Amino acid sequence: MTDEEFMRRAIEIAARALDDPGCRPYGGVVVKDGRIVGEGINRSVIDLDPTSHGETEAIRDACRTLGTTNLTGCTLYASCEPCPLCVAAMMIAGIDRMYYAVSLEESDAILAAIPGGDCNAVDVQSLRDQTAKPVAKRTMPSDQILSGEGEDVLRRWSRAA
């Protein structure tokens, strides 16, 4: 299959949201060695899971299919440009390359046209800005507590590994 055919599959998956209440029109496909090993659609609403984006679902599916959390050698095709959450998941999993169909700007323009609709759109620019800052400089208040107890668990785990 070609890159365009894999992308068409991601777009087909996204189109399921037109008939599936609780899904959103964001699809992803993970490919390794020329074959699809993972597919996903945004199930945030139906699963009550804000991390259930098409890309993360495709990554989860690929990991189960391949029996590993290391997706080195894989390419991800996304119907829309992935948000920082999805990019982080791709990087953690080791995805080598990513293709997308609709840019964030194009997606934002389309979603902005929904009259009075709460599509719970993610402010991607704010996510990018906030995640790039050290924890103490983010707008979300945070405090470090019980550091020693947390470190103890990590030390015990590392000795057992």
Side-chain angles (χ1 to χ4, degrees):
M1 292 178 70
T2 66
D3 291 329
E4 288 79 12
E5 289 170 314
F6 290 128
M7 183 59 73
R8 280 192 188 95
R9 180 63 186 147
I11 294 168
E12 284 173 18
I13 292 167
R16 289 183 195 162
L18 300 172
D19 299 317
D20 259 345
C23 289
R24 295 194 171 160
Y26 302 98
V29 171
V30 176
V31 173
K32 182 166 185 150
D33 299 327
R35 72 179 185 92
I36 295 174
V37 295
E39 295 185 343
I41 188 170
N42 183 309
R43 297 179 48 86
S44 295
V45 174
I46 198 166
D47 288 350
L48 301 174
D49 178 357
T51 68
S52 178
H53 294 189
E55 300 90 339
T56 58
E57 291 300 322
I59 289 168
R60 290 170 181 146
D61 189 35
C63 288
R64 285 188 296 267
T65 297
L66 298 173
T68 183
T69 58
N70 182 347
L71 298 181
T72 301
C74 292
T75 299
L76 192 141
Y77 297 80
S79 61
C80 284
E81 181 181 348
C83 73
L85 168 85
C86 295
V87 171
M90 284 182 242
M91 294 178 81
I92 290 168
I95 297 283
D96 288 343
R97 184 176 181 95
M98 180 262 300
Y99 293 92
Y100 63 94
V102 180
S103 74
L104 289 172
E105 292 78 16
E106 293 162 334
S107 175
D108 286 348
I110 292 166
L111 296 178
I114 298 173
D118 177 17
C119 64
N120 200 20
V122 175
D123 180 353
V124 174
Q125 189 55 52
S126 177
L127 278 175
R128 286 177 175 161
D129 293 343
Q130 289 297 305
T131 56
K133 294 179 181 179
V135 68
K137 298 202 184 245
R138 296 180 189 151
T139 58
M140 178 191 296
S142 61
D143 294 295
Q144 183 176 16
I145 59 174
L146 300 178
S147 173
E149 292 178 32
E151 288 177 13
D152 181 56
V153 171
L154 290 173
R155 281 190 189 92
R156 287 186 294 157
W157 181 81
S158 70
R159 283 193 298 268

